[in-house]
Amino acid sequence: MKDLGITEKIARFALQSAYSHLSNDIRDQLKKHLLDSIGSMLYSLQAPTVQKLLRQTASLQQDGACQVPVIGHTAVDRAAQLYTLLIRYPDFMDNFLGKEATCHPSDNIGAVLAAAQLAGASGRDLLTTMAVAYQLECTLVEQMPLMAKGIDHTVLLAMSVTAALGKMFSLTEEETAHAIGITASTFNTTVTTRASYTYEWKGFASSLVALGCTNVVLLAKEGVTGPVSYFEGPKGFKEEFGMDPAFDCATGDFSLIKKCILKSYNAEVHTQPAVEAMLELRQQYNIAPAEVEKIDVTTFLTAYNIVGGGQYGNRKLVQTKEQADHSLPYLMAVALLDGEVWPQQFLPERIRRADVQALLQKVETGTGLPLHSPRKLIEKIDPYTAPYPEKMNTKVCVKLKSGEEHCIKKEDFKGFHTRPLSWDDVIAKFHRLGAGSLDEATREQIIRTVQNLENEDVSTLTNELSGSHALA
């Protein structure tokens, strides 16, 4: 009997997973992440960028098996795309941090939610497939840190969401392995979309993966075959990327879900400790922005590279939402000026105002050491970088024109797995994000449905969400 390849191992993990494998704390956490994602979904309905996809989807098809907000009904692949964009667009969703890469596990929810409608799934089915997708993507991020090689984390999403859809659509193990091989070899996108100068596609990228993977899974169910030996075969992943993932995730192992985190601030995940520090400095010392001489942020290498002006480019050129939420200088400036970092801080008129544009130029970012390479060495000797991702060591110092200086150091933030958000926190965030798209009574009903999801059908939730066009 031949050894299983990695696509086959992934497929087997997905298909053999069951609701009974989920502990009570994992179920509870998944529900929090689902409600958190729905909050972003509701807020996004008002975003001009999202309206572009809504118009396109409506022009292509106004009828289909899936009921969605605004449009009414559409096909399952387009529903997957729309749901994923709605969750992803504000960049206020969850994260998982690996040593050299990160991902957004909630990128899986949109496709799974659409598939659940077509499959007539129960709430237990939805929670189980969410768990599969979350555990898979987090495992792949740890074993295959492709972002360090310039490949976007959405290639890992393609594998995790395909495996989850294979389970939701009742594919065989062989069919699911074929589908994983197809999507893994097809969606090899680059991280260019997240580098400076950052454009709208940053928010769209995962939604196209959701659409494509849904198509692929349904084709595999029809018998279409693909490169099952994607990892081990000639010109395969291991040969081309020089990595040797094992994928040894045992059936029923959902331990990495406990490391998934939620955001307290509407900003790139690695900036969360810095934002929290700046808000505390503002409150404790009543700092007047006009009196600021300089703001210094010392952080770990990953944060410096992505949002601080390192490998991903200049982060002081900020004119759009996509640039602002990935700019540590902008986030420090707007947090000090406004006392919060929420979607309102990323409206065009706020981003381009003179006060924040002037203050962000006073922000300097760096790591614990002046050297930034070789990475493997820095990860061992830099006191800010070495503890990452178990800690997110960050120090923010505000120097005033008077010569006075105030500093705060953080190693995590509210929402990190060491200080997780409570149900009250998640519900408050959900209400604030969803207030413009749904009335309070309907929002309260959605909360009850999510909290009782194991006893509900998915159609109950999607029917409640479909009313969100009324205020959008």
Side-chain angles (χ1 to χ4, degrees), residues 170-432:
S170 301
L171 270 64
T172 66
E173 188 176 302
E174 182 180 5
E175 290 167 343
T176 305
H178 281 291
I180 293 167
I182 295 170
T183 56
S185 60
T186 301
F187 295 103
N188 278 286
T189 51
T190 68
V191 294
T192 308
T193 189
R194 305 185 195 282
S196 182
Y197 187 96
T198 311
Y199 294 89
E200 285 178 313
W201 193 250
K202 174 175 73 72
F204 271 84
S206 57
S207 71
L208 188 66
V209 172
L211 181 149
C213 290
T214 304
N215 265 286
V216 167
V217 169
L218 293 175
L219 286 170
K221 191 175 177 67
E222 294 292 334
V224 174
T225 61
V228 173
S229 59
Y230 167 75
F231 289 93
E232 302 85 4
K235 307 301 289 182
F237 176 93
K238 293 185 177 183
E239 179 181 326
E240 293 302 308
F241 289 102
M243 297 181 184
D244 192 21
F247 192 77
D248 51 4
C249 198
T251 300
D253 177 9
F254 295 105
S255 57
L256 290 182
I257 294 175
K258 296 178 182 179
K259 292 291 187 72
C260 293
I261 57 183
L262 294 172
K263 293 180 179 179
S264 288
Y265 315 105
N266 191 182
E268 198 271 346
V269 66
H270 299 105
T271 71
Q272 299 287 304
V275 172
E276 185 174 88
M278 177 57 80
L279 293 174
E280 290 181 9
L281 285 167
R282 181 182 191 270
Q283 182 177 23
Q284 289 180 24
Y285 299 103
N286 195 27
I287 297 171
E291 297 303 313
V292 172
E293 177 73 27
K294 185 181 180 184
I295 299 172
D296 280 312
V297 182
T298 308
T299 189
F300 45 97
L301 185 59
T302 298
Y304 172 76
N305 279 335
I306 294 176
V307 293
Q311 291 180 348
Y312 282 52
N314 181 9
R315 291 306 189 184
K316 290 190 175 182
L317 179 60
V318 181
Q319 292 293 312
T320 67
K321 173 204 175 297
E322 290 77 20
Q323 293 147 25
D325 65 26
H326 270 54
S327 166
L328 192 50
Y330 177 83
L331 295 167
M332 292 295 90
V334 82
L336 180 56
L337 287 162
D338 293 4
E340 65 176 6
V341 180
W342 274 73
Q344 290 73 22
Q345 276 63 55
F346 301 103
L347 298 174
E349 58 269 25
R350 181 65 194 104
I351 293 169
R352 297 169 188 174
R353 200 179 303 164
D355 60 349
V356 73
Q357 288 291 329
L359 188 56
L360 75 85
Q361 302 301 327
K362 297 181 180 182
V363 179
E364 298 299 328
T365 62
T367 55
L369 295 174
L371 298 175
H372 299 140
S373 64
R375 185 182 181 98
K376 292 297 183 183
L377 177 62
I378 302 304
E379 287 176 350
K380 293 180 180 179
I381 64 175
D382 180 358
Y384 283 79
T385 301
Y388 178 82
E390 294 303 316
K391 295 181 180 180
M392 304 177 74
N393 286 352
T394 303
K395 182 170 73 172
V396 177
C397 292
V398 179
K399 184 176 182 180
L400 304 180
K401 293 175 181 178
S402 64
E404 192 176 358
E405 186 174 40
H406 304 293
C407 299
I408 286 182
K409 187 174 181 180
K410 293 281 181 177
E411 62 179 35
D412 61 8
F413 64 94
K414 187 176 181 180
F416 198 60
H417 59 79
T418 52
R419 285 198 285 148
L421 296 186
S422 67
W423 265 112
D424 286 344
D425 295 325
V426 175
I427 288 170
K429 180 179 174 182
F430 168 77
H431 275 307
R432 184 171 177 184

Side-chain angles (χ1 to χ4, degrees), residues 1-23:
M1 182 175 177
K2 77 176 185 71
D3 292 336
L4 292 179
I6 291 180
T7 60
E8 295 162 315
K9 288 181 180 180
I10 294 172
R12 180 164 294 184
F13 171 81
L15 300 186
Q16 290 186 353
S17 296
Y19 179 77
S20 60
H21 294 144
L22 306 182
S23 62

